[in-house]
Amino acid sequence: MIDFEQIQRLLAEKKQLMLSFEESTEEMLFCPFEQLQPLVLQREEKMLQMQALDAKIKGMCSGKGGAMVLAAAENDCNRAALPAQLQQIYDAGMQIKTIVFRLKESNVQATFRLRNEQKQILKKIKATNQSPAAQAARFSSPAVQRGPGKLGKA
């Protein structure tokens, strides 16, 4: 027997993780550079947690009648044709899908921000490598010698 209440709790937990993921994504758009890496790591952790919840829900829906429950949770069916319990699961899945659609635009912007930061870092590295001090350091550093130099052994 499929535990509908447990599936609803798991979907509610996934919704909270999605909202937290969305919040981290929004922060990435305007935070200082130093805060980007921790936010990316937070998002990765939340993604793993959501994947675990998805696996748990799919596992619970592996038995008889589970395909219909899973279809309701993933909004892959007609809501009007579902019994009342499954309509609630469908609605919980729809709330998650709403967040996913909002996240698509935020993710594009966050990716753009990360690429822009990467370009800025590369530009700084190139500028540093082309500076007079860097060029002088390349020519003044001792070369690795193999055997005696031009003056012989001292």
Side-chain angles (χ1 to χ4, degrees), residues 4-112:
F4 295 114
E5 290 179 14
Q6 178 65 15
I7 290 176
Q8 285 183 317
R9 282 191 293 273
L10 292 173
L11 288 171
E13 188 177 340
K14 183 176 178 182
K15 177 185 172 189
Q16 290 306 311
L17 283 168
M18 291 292 291
L19 289 170
S20 180
F21 186 90
E22 181 180 38
E23 185 178 306
S24 295
T25 303
E26 294 292 327
E27 284 181 47
M28 286 175 63
L29 300 179
F30 305 106
C31 71
F33 172 76
E34 297 77 27
Q35 293 177 2
L36 279 174
Q37 184 176 6
L39 288 170
V40 169
L41 294 174
Q42 285 176 14
R43 283 173 27 119
E44 288 177 9
E45 179 61 32
K46 291 168 190 163
M47 184 90 63
L48 292 173
Q49 291 172 355
M50 287 185 279
Q51 289 171 349
L53 289 174
D54 286 340
K56 200 177 230 183
I57 291 169
K58 285 181 182 174
M60 292 177 69
C61 295
S62 62
K64 183 179 178 186
M68 182 183 263
V69 176
L70 190 58
E74 295 176 348
N75 299 136
D76 287 338
C77 59
N78 181 0
R79 184 186 186 281
L82 296 171
Q85 278 186 317
L86 290 182
Q87 285 182 358
Q88 292 175 352
I89 290 174
Y90 183 96
D91 293 342
M94 183 58 73
Q95 291 174 358
I96 291 169
K97 269 197 170 174
T98 302
I99 298 167
V100 169
F101 286 124
R102 286 193 315 250
L103 267 171
K104 285 184 180 183
E105 180 61 31
S106 297
N107 271 335
V108 169
Q109 293 174 8
T111 301
F112 179 76

